[in-house]
Amino acid sequence: MAEPITTVEGTAYPWGAKNIDTDIIIPAHWLKTTTREGLGKGAFEAVRAEPGNVFDDPRYAGSPILIAGENFGCGSSREHAAWALADMGVKAVIAPSYSDIFSGNAVKNGIVPVVLPQEAVDRLVEVAKDHPVTVDLETMTVTTPFQDRFSFDLDPFRRMCLMQGLDEIGLTLAQDTAISKYESGMAQSRPWIARRAADAGVAVGGAGRT
Amino acid sequence: MASRPLTLYEKIWADHVIERRDDGTCLIYIDRHLVHEVTSPQAFAGLRAAGRPVRRPELTLAVPDHNLPTTPRVDAAGHMLPIADPESANQLAALEANTREFGIDYIGATDPAQGIVHVVGPEQGFTLPGTTLVCGDSHTSAHGALGALAFGIGTSEVEHVLATQTLLLQQSKTMEVRVDGTLGFGVSPKDVVLAIIGRIGAAGGTGHVIEYTGGVIRAMSVEGRLTVSNMSIEGGARAGLIAPDETTFAYIKGRPMAPSGEDWERAIEAWRRLPTDAGAVYDKTVVLDATDIAPSLTWGTSPEDVVPITGVVPDPESFADPAKRAAAAKSLDYMGLKPGTRMQDVAVEHIFIGSCTNSRIEDLRAAAAVVKGRHVADRIRQALVVPGSGLVKRQAEAEGLDRIFVEAGFQWREPGCSMCLAMNPDKVPAGERCASTSNRNFVGRQGPGARTHLVSPAMAAAAAVTGRLADVRELMGGGTA
């Protein structure tokens, strides 16, 4: 489980590109791994091939914040995208919007998906070229060394998970009684949901068949 | 007690809430879980590390699809051939070992039923109306075609579902996309969904679950509906939904994992209550007129970059939004296209017919009908037909479709995701152009530097035999009106 996180402060990649899909964040040929680590070196491979890109600019090397454009993380559900960002050291992304799957994956890996209006993002891209940025989960604001102070929203459960570094599976397993009760009710109301052992065997040859 | 009218989405959601937290997050029961080799190894490793079992293994089905080679899988003696890429081989071996260890049904590489998870689920009757269905793959949205609330999840959520059979979710907003009227000659479900994404934009459905309604959707087969719902994710929605009806029930009945006997009768009765009530309100509604939809395709590197085949490559200067203008210029540079070029004058080198969007039997029939009696153009370097499953492949062979393709110069392959995402050896080389029935035209999606135009199966066939992006209606003996 990710480390608890309250503030993220430091340099930020002043990028702002729109519709960045998870294929761009981490291309498919990096997805053959069976672990979560080491994907930072494959991150933004195609972008890094472009001269003058923000990721290879020494001023922003190792930045904990990435500023992007609208619809960040669209496309494939690959959590490898969040793993790659985390491996790069990114702890917060600031963008006008995210794909639903990406923002969930980000939170589960200790990355804060900050949503701010386009004007605020534009301003932050300008500031971040030469100055640090601060994301504060306590006050739910993004601030700069100037007078900028942008408030953002994050649903309370996600905020709590980030700030406490919670194990969601452990939390849910503590609800076992409620889940079992639901399953008993379902056995009455929707008995066809539970596949019978025989179905599984007849249909595809059963577990372990190759 | 009179209750307010509900949408299909709201009914399925309400049926699956186990607990509602004060902050609005809900613990939702998951009825069906599909697993493949790419997004699951870290989830199983997590279970193992924590000493957790799979709560309901019989509600999970595993099928390898993403990086299996599409070349023959067994030798003449029936022995499985080795997989050349050691990383792919390792991932496939991990899936097999994990499913055995945790007691999950597994349809392996040489099983006749193996295929793309989103083709196999409906085909086996694993996908059912009114269920919640998840998979570590964004195109899980496809299953919404049968009235299942189906969406892609990340690997941490795969682990969560394996351990608990639940997910913690926020309820989405609802969006109706209604397509009225009747489709014109040569216009397919793929053209419908491309037109929808062109209209709403790649982020248009963010935060919403789309329900597709209207006469055009109702008239579609389940296979056509799967194509439409499949690309909901390209419109930014996490899920798409189509209300189950007699077409749906006829499709499901008798499939191996579908309910039967008394269960079937009870299920049908429940499924008939699922469609959106009269008077229910969506958060957003978009209406398209079928007469405005032509055979369509993409020109750029976002699925929202859609034009009719009769159109031209747009001029970036024509976009009012400066960000869109810059993105379009960059797209055209990557795609090697000049503004004003007629789409029909763009030559292609590669053809890909396959993917979870368009690899079902009706897709292969539509492509074969155009290819029959013709040959792929000289300039085509590679033309692949990749059936979505082993069962689709056998059905196509029984109908003689394989011979039509092979005689025309196509390669007839084993099932898998193939060139859609280039994780296996099927790739489009840098700088070359592909007419593809897949779902994403992203930069590098079909291989580094590859240029993708998303099209329907019939349009891919038309491109194959002409060597350029072509209006399939001209090859079908009809007008272009």
Side-chain angles (χ1 to χ4, degrees):
Chain A
M1 193 59 214
E3 293 295 310
I5 192 164
T6 313
T7 54
V8 184
E9 184 173 10
T11 54
Y13 298 102
W15 198 26
K18 285 176 71 169
N19 282 332
I20 294 303
D21 57 73
T22 51
D23 280 70
I24 289 291
I25 302 173
I26 187 84
H29 66 97
W30 289 91
L31 271 50
K32 296 181 184 180
T33 174
T34 54
T35 66
R36 289 176 159 90
E37 290 80 33
L39 289 166
K41 57 183 182 291
F44 301 107
E45 204 168 55
V47 182
R48 285 190 151 138
E50 297 169 7
N53 72 82
V54 291
F55 298 107
D56 287 332
D57 187 325
R59 287 178 293 171
Y60 312 120
S63 288
I65 300 169
L66 170 63
I67 306 174
E70 76 170 28
N71 202 25
F72 186 75
C74 59
S76 163
S77 62
R78 59 186 70 164
E79 193 165 320
H80 307 67
W83 299 336
L85 289 171
D87 200 50
M88 282 172 71
V90 171
K91 293 185 164 51
V93 182
I94 300 172
S97 64
Y98 299 87
S99 90
D100 299 334
I101 304 177
F102 175 82
S103 56
N105 286 341
V107 169
K108 287 178 172 60
N109 290 278
I111 297 170
V112 189
V114 178
V115 177
L116 287 177
Q118 186 66 54
E119 309 79 64
V121 171
D122 291 344
R123 165 69 183 159
L124 289 170
V125 166
E126 276 312 301
V127 171
K129 283 176 181 164
D130 301 300
H131 302 280
V133 169
T134 302
V135 174
D136 190 334
L137 273 176
E138 199 79 63
T139 58
M140 301 290 278
T141 56
V142 177
T143 52
T144 70
F146 306 99
Q147 298 302 312
D148 304 294
R149 184 185 172 87
F150 303 110
S151 295
F152 64 91
D153 284 328
L154 186 65
D155 87 62
F157 181 71
R158 285 182 169 177
R159 179 172 177 241
M160 183 181 77
C161 287
L162 284 163
M163 293 184 74
Q164 300 182 17
L166 289 176
D167 169 11
E168 279 191 35
I169 296 177
L171 281 181
T172 302
L173 285 172
Q175 309 280 88
D176 181 65
T177 311
I179 301 171
S180 295
K181 188 171 163 228
Y182 177 90
E183 285 179 326
S184 317
M186 185 174 81
Q188 301 300 315
S189 63
R190 300 187 299 138
W192 58 89
I193 297 303
R195 289 172 57 216
R196 291 165 181 46
D199 289 346
V202 170
V204 299
R209 175 168 166 184
T210 57
Chain B
M1 188 178 84
S3 57
R4 72 180 175 88
L6 297 174
T7 64
L8 168 58
Y9 171 73
E10 290 166 329
K11 292 182 191 184
I12 301 176
W13 180 267
D15 276 348
H16 290 82
V17 175
I18 299 170
E19 278 193 347
R20 189 183 170 85
R21 301 169 53 98
D22 292 342
D23 60 21
T25 308
C26 291
L27 188 64
I28 294 294
Y29 198 77
I30 301 301
D31 298 323
R32 294 284 185 265
H33 188 189
L34 287 160
V35 169
H36 63 86
E37 75 277 22
V38 177
T39 57
S40 68
Q42 294 87 347
F44 286 111
L47 289 182
R48 201 175 290 120
R52 290 169 177 154
V54 174
R55 182 182 179 93
R56 295 289 298 271
E58 80 281 14
L59 302 186
T60 304
L61 177 65
V63 194
D65 57 6
H66 279 58
N67 62 45
L68 266 183
T70 58
T71 44
R73 291 175 187 157
V74 292
D75 62 17
H79 297 118
M80 187 157 170
L81 292 163
I83 292 168
D85 179 341
E87 288 184 298
S88 292
N90 183 40
Q91 231 175 30
L92 292 159
L95 181 64
E96 188 178 341
N98 286 329
T99 52
R100 187 177 298 137
E101 178 183 340
F102 288 93
I104 291 166
D105 277 334
Y106 174 64
I107 304 181
T110 58
D111 193 299
Q114 180 273 335
I116 306 173
V117 288
H118 310 311
V119 176
V120 172
E123 186 175 79
Q124 291 293 327
F126 185 76
T127 308
L128 298 174
T131 54
T132 47
L133 182 153
V134 297
C135 174
D137 186 287
S138 61
H139 287 105
T140 308
S141 65
H143 305 263
L146 289 100
L149 176 58
F151 48 90
I153 56 177
T155 300
S156 295
E157 289 178 315
V158 170
E159 185 180 340
H160 196 281
V161 174
L162 289 170
T164 70
Q165 207 58 41
T166 69
L167 278 176
L168 284 159
L169 297 170
Q170 292 273 352
Q171 193 166 350
S172 298
K173 286 186 254 180
T174 55
M175 177 172 181
E176 178 188 25
V177 173
R178 193 168 79 232
V179 191
D180 290 329
T182 311
L183 291 181
F185 175 76
V187 182
S188 75
K190 182 64 163 285
D191 302 309
V192 172
V193 72
L194 286 172
I196 290 170
I197 297 161
R199 166 78 81 83
I200 68 174
T206 303
H208 293 75
V209 166
I210 295 177
E211 182 180 342
Y212 300 96
T213 65
V216 166
I217 305 294
R218 291 265 72 87
M220 277 182 196
S221 68
V222 167
E223 302 212 338
R225 294 175 187 184
L226 282 159
T227 298
V228 172
S229 200
N230 177 272
M231 289 188 70
S232 303
I233 186 76
E234 270 67 49
R238 199 164 180 188
L241 275 170
I242 294 172
D245 58 11
E246 296 307 317
T247 304
T248 322
F249 307 148
Y251 175 92
I252 297 169
K253 192 166 190 185
R255 293 194 180 260
M257 299 184 190
S260 57
E262 193 192 330
D263 274 354
W264 173 258
E265 298 305 325
R266 287 192 61 184
I268 284 273
E269 202 183 306
W271 297 344
R272 288 192 206 282
R273 292 194 294 267
L274 286 169
T276 295
D277 297 328
V281 179
Y282 299 91
D283 293 301
K284 208 191 249 187
T285 292
V286 174
V287 181
L288 279 80
D289 182 343
T291 53
D292 297 336
I293 303 176
S296 299
L297 76 173
T298 57
W299 53 266
T301 57
S302 168
E304 70 184 21
D305 299 338
V306 174
V307 280
I309 184 63
T310 48
V312 299
V313 176
D315 186 341
E317 292 304 316
S318 67
F319 295 103
D321 172 11
K324 180 78 189 157
R325 205 179 302 147
K330 206 169 171 194
S331 256
L332 292 188
D333 184 47
Y334 180 84
M335 293 296 290
L337 292 173
K338 294 210 160 35
T341 307
R342 284 170 14 112
M343 292 308 297
Q344 295 179 67
D345 291 340
V346 176
V348 299
E349 292 83 34
H350 297 264
I351 306 294
F352 173 56
I353 298 175
S355 83
C356 58
T357 314
N358 281 127
S359 62
R360 298 175 182 86
I361 191 68
E362 290 178 13
D363 298 317
L364 303 192
R365 285 177 189 146
V370 175
V371 166
K372 191 170 186 177
R374 295 186 166 110
H375 199 276
V376 300
D378 289 344
R379 64 169 293 113
I380 301 292
R381 293 159 58 97
Q382 196 176 19
L384 291 188
V385 184
V386 186
S389 75
L391 300 185
V392 170
K393 182 168 187 260
R394 285 198 297 189
Q395 173 71 30
E397 287 168 354
E399 296 178 17
L401 305 184
D402 59 323
R403 288 197 305 280
I404 293 173
F405 286 119
V406 171
E407 282 165 15
F410 280 86
Q411 297 179 41
W412 180 247
R413 294 292 189 89
E414 297 295 322
C417 296
S418 183
M419 209 183 251
C420 174
L421 85 167
M423 269 198 81
N424 76 352
D426 305 337
K427 290 179 175 63
V428 177
E432 299 190 10
R433 196 178 297 283
C434 183
S436 176
T437 66
S438 56
N439 37 50
R440 288 188 175 139
N441 51 343
F442 295 159
V443 167
R445 173 75 177 182
Q446 294 195 279
R451 294 163 169 168
T452 299
H453 295 276
L454 302 179
V455 293
S456 73
M459 287 277 282
V465 299
T466 59
R468 59 182 172 82
L469 300 170
D471 190 335
V472 66
R473 293 171 295 194
E474 292 173 11
L475 282 83
M476 292 169 77
T480 57

